Amino acid sequence: SISVMTSPKEPAVSRPATASREDNLIYDLKHMAAYDISPVSVGTDLAAYSRDSVQLLVNKLFALPRKKGDEGTLVSLPAEGVFRLPRSKPIPKEKPKTRWQKFMEERNMTKKKRSRLVFDEIEGDWKPRWGYNSIKKSQQNANWVQEVGDRDDPNQNPFDKEKAEQRLLKARQKMREVRNKVEAAGGKLRASVPDLSNSQKRGKDGLKEAIKRAQVSSASYGKFDRVAPNEATNLQPKRKKGVTPVSGGVEKDNYLKAVGRVLSGDGPVDKHKAAQVGVSHERRNDALSRSRVQNKRRSKQGGKGKGGKKKGRR
């Protein structure tokens, strides 16, 4: 039975486990819910009506198979529900595994969480692994002098060289991430581009790549060149004329295919040159940002910036 509070001052009144109205509810016992779609008249007591609805739902739940456990009486709910509630978005698909995850599964390796604090031997104190005042910054501050070897260029700044190598490593890591996305989407990439200048044994792939580049090396892009006997003329990718409207999924697949051609070396773009161009763009942006900061400081101090006072002898 269900107890009902008549007023805040009066005690709860226990009523029998029966309802005083007709059972017109639609039950969904899997979700322990009941739905009443019948209209309610104006003079209906909503508290009593709701109490009867809850009592009918409780009676249906206790009619199911029960068993006693450590926490009390347990009821086994049905496996199938009456209603399928709609979703605003589709069910997320399972993400494809990366190369590192497959490598760990093959060797039965488990992922371990690294501690955030690391002991810094330079300063003799515990420091965070990343972020503000991390151990990396203390190591950078400690390496403020670098020795120049006999074979090194004395006019070259070793710190700029180290930063360029770090940028190159970041660019290569980005390429690896793109390659993993292409492979996860179903595409394939070759391990490396055949070296046509230094390698003596080119092989089938190298010879095909050499013919492909030679066909478009002239000023007319191979349009007026003579074709050798038994020469393959279908090596160049066909260009589509006009722009046709495509959906988001098709556009994504086209982008992934284009990235795959760039990284695999099938297209006319050299991935190593592209990485060097990206590094040069980053250097140029860093130099521009530094010059802007210096100009702002000069303007605040009354130097060459706008609004500054000109200093001179009287």
Side-chain angles (χ1 to χ4, degrees):
S1 63
I2 298 178
S3 301
V4 179
M5 295 288 294
T6 56
S7 67
K9 297 182 180 180
E10 297 179 0
V13 179
S14 298
R15 295 185 182 181
T18 57
S20 59
R21 69 180 185 86
E22 184 182 359
D23 187 4
N24 57 351
L25 301 177
I26 301 174
Y27 297 97
D28 189 1
L29 299 181
K30 179 183 178 180
H31 301 96
M32 294 187 293
Y35 305 95
D36 188 2
I37 60 175
S38 59
V40 180
S41 58
V42 179
T44 306
D45 186 5
L46 295 180
Y49 193 85
S50 302
R51 180 261 165 199
D52 292 339
S53 301
V54 175
Q55 185 64 59
L56 291 171
L57 176 61
V58 172
N59 294 342
K60 285 286 185 180
L61 290 174
F62 274 86
L64 296 173
R66 292 176 290 174
K67 62 180 181 180
K68 291 185 178 181
D70 298 337
E71 299 179 357
T73 305
L74 305 177
V75 178
S76 58
L77 300 176
E80 297 181 358
V82 178
F83 294 97
R84 295 186 63 182
L85 300 178
R87 293 176 58 95
S88 61
K89 295 182 180 180
I91 300 174
K93 298 181 181 179
E94 186 178 358
K95 293 183 179 181
K97 297 180 180 179
T98 59
R99 286 191 172 193
W100 175 246
Q101 291 177 349
K102 294 178 182 179
F103 179 82
M104 291 179 66
E105 288 183 357
E106 291 176 358
R107 286 158 178 77
N108 297 325
M109 299 168 61
T110 57
K111 187 176 180 180
K112 296 181 180 179
K113 186 176 180 181
R114 297 191 301 176
S115 61
R116 178 171 171 76
L117 296 178
V118 185
F119 186 75
D120 187 5
E121 297 181 356
I122 299 173
E123 299 186 4
D125 193 7
W126 293 90
K127 287 194 172 184
R129 194 184 296 270
W130 62 87
Y132 175 74
N133 197 17
S134 62
I135 188 173
K136 293 182 179 180
K137 294 184 178 179
S138 64
Q139 292 175 356
Q140 292 176 359
N141 296 332
N143 298 331
W144 58 276
V145 174
Q146 289 192 10
E147 184 179 358
V148 179
D150 298 335
R151 298 182 180 180
D152 297 338
D153 187 4
N155 299 324
Q156 186 179 10
N157 191 348
F159 296 100
D160 294 342
K161 183 179 179 181
E162 185 179 358
K163 290 181 180 179
E165 291 177 354
Q166 291 178 359
R167 293 193 188 99
L168 187 60
L169 288 176
K170 289 181 181 179
R172 289 178 179 174
Q173 178 61 25
K174 286 291 182 182
M175 287 186 177
R176 294 190 192 99
E177 292 177 2
V178 174
R179 180 195 62 187
N180 291 338
K181 290 181 180 179
V182 171
E183 292 182 354
K188 291 183 179 180
L189 294 176
R190 288 186 295 178
S192 61
V193 183
D195 189 2
L196 304 179
S197 58
N198 298 328
S199 60
Q200 297 179 357
K201 297 181 180 180
R202 298 182 180 179
K204 184 178 179 181
D205 293 339
L207 183 59
K208 185 177 179 180
E209 183 69 22
I211 294 173
K212 183 179 176 181
R213 295 184 182 182
Q215 287 178 348
V216 294
S217 60
S218 60
S220 62
Y221 205 71
K223 185 177 181 180
F224 303 104
D225 297 345
R226 283 184 288 180
V227 181
N230 300 327
E231 181 181 351
T233 58
N234 58 348
L235 299 178
Q236 304 299 330
K238 296 182 179 179
R239 298 184 178 182
K240 296 182 180 180
K241 296 182 179 180
V243 179
T244 56
V246 294
S247 61
V250 176
E251 187 176 2
K252 180 181 178 182
D253 295 338
N254 294 337
Y255 284 146
L256 290 176
K257 289 180 182 178
V259 172
R261 287 197 298 269
V262 171
L263 295 181
S264 61
D266 293 340
V269 181
D270 190 356
K271 60 180 182 180
H272 299 291
K273 289 184 179 179
Q276 293 178 359
V277 170
V279 172
S280 62
H281 279 298
E282 287 187 2
R283 288 182 181 176
R284 194 177 305 164
N285 294 334
D286 294 343
L288 289 174
S289 61
R290 290 174 185 172
S291 62
R292 290 173 184 171
V293 171
Q294 290 177 0
N295 291 335
K296 288 183 179 179
R297 290 178 179 174
R298 290 175 182 175
S299 62
K300 290 181 179 179
Q301 295 175 0
K304 298 180 180 180
K306 296 181 179 180
K309 296 181 179 179
K310 296 182 179 179
K311 297 181 179 180
R313 296 181 180 178
R314 293 184 181 178

